[in-house]
Amino acid sequence: MRTLRLLTVGGAIAYRALFNWTTPAMFVGTLLVSPVFQLLFFVYLGRTLQVGDDLGYLVGNAVLSAALACVYGGTMAVANERRYGTLGPLLLSPLRRAAVFGGRALPYALNGVLISAFTLTVGALLLRIPIGVRSLPGLALAICVGALSCSFFGLTLGSIGLRFRDVWLVSNVADAVLLLVSGVNVAPAALPPVLRSAGALLPLRHAATAARGAADGAPLARLVAPLGAELGLAAGYALLAIGLLALFERGSRRHATLDVL
């Protein structure tokens, strides 16, 4: 029960304290309006170049829209503790690190799911693209798994903040890389081999593949492979984040650099 409480209540409190924006308009404009305009841009670009189809861009960018909140949210979950001077007391506590930081990824994943659902709904209405009712369970699973994977990826980037000062530069680059290699707007076959391989090891490509399959009417049984691959990435990034946090924590204690900004 204590671990469950850390995962849920602790994660919710940390979300309220560490995920911040200047005004509600900034939140709406950045996390809700911006993904919709990104979706419209790539849909009309695809129409102009006669590349891809509207439905593929719609569901792909809906999955990708979770990246902004999840990557930056996961980074804030660690980096803002140091910024506000609360990281030291947190690491001095006897609480389990896996439960403390693992639970922080859950609210950001939920935030990403809501953003993806909003982008998908608004995009479908604006572009008048019908989505079959039978496709919704598969789409929901793909969005949830992709958001979870992306949140743990953001937590991994945030753990780097214990060692590097400018972790936000890393987050900015990671967000741009996901836009390029996730296979949502650029087909993986059109990418250089290095970027193609990187995309397979980064979040969202497998989730986007599952989402497109669901939108095309594929049964859930055919989505098991891409969803399983995405869940594997989520578990891998979760373990990597916890491992890096433990490693950098020990190094910071030795060199007294825990709160150096």
Side-chain angles (χ1 to χ4, degrees), residues 64-87:
L64 181 61
S65 64
L68 189 63
C70 293
V71 169
Y72 286 98
T75 303
M76 287 181 181
V78 181
N80 276 354
E81 289 280 9
R82 189 176 68 171
R83 177 184 178 187
Y84 298 145
T86 55
L87 183 60

Side-chain angles (χ1 to χ4, degrees), residues 104-188:
R104 296 187 175 193
L106 301 181
Y108 300 111
L110 178 59
N111 196 8
V113 169
L114 295 177
I115 293 170
S116 293
F118 176 84
T119 304
L120 181 66
T121 302
V122 173
L125 292 176
L126 291 176
L127 298 169
R128 298 180 181 180
I129 300 175
I131 298 177
V133 177
R134 294 183 179 180
S135 301
L136 295 181
L139 283 172
L141 280 174
I143 288 173
C144 291
V145 172
L148 185 64
S149 176
C150 209
S151 293
F152 281 120
F153 176 67
L155 196 64
T156 300
L157 298 180
S159 66
I160 299 176
L162 294 183
R163 180 57 58 89
F164 299 100
R165 297 185 179 184
D166 193 3
V167 69
W168 304 111
L169 176 61
V170 180
S171 299
N172 288 331
V173 173
D175 187 58
V177 169
L178 287 178
L179 177 65
L180 176 62
V181 305
S182 62
V184 171
N185 298 306
V186 181

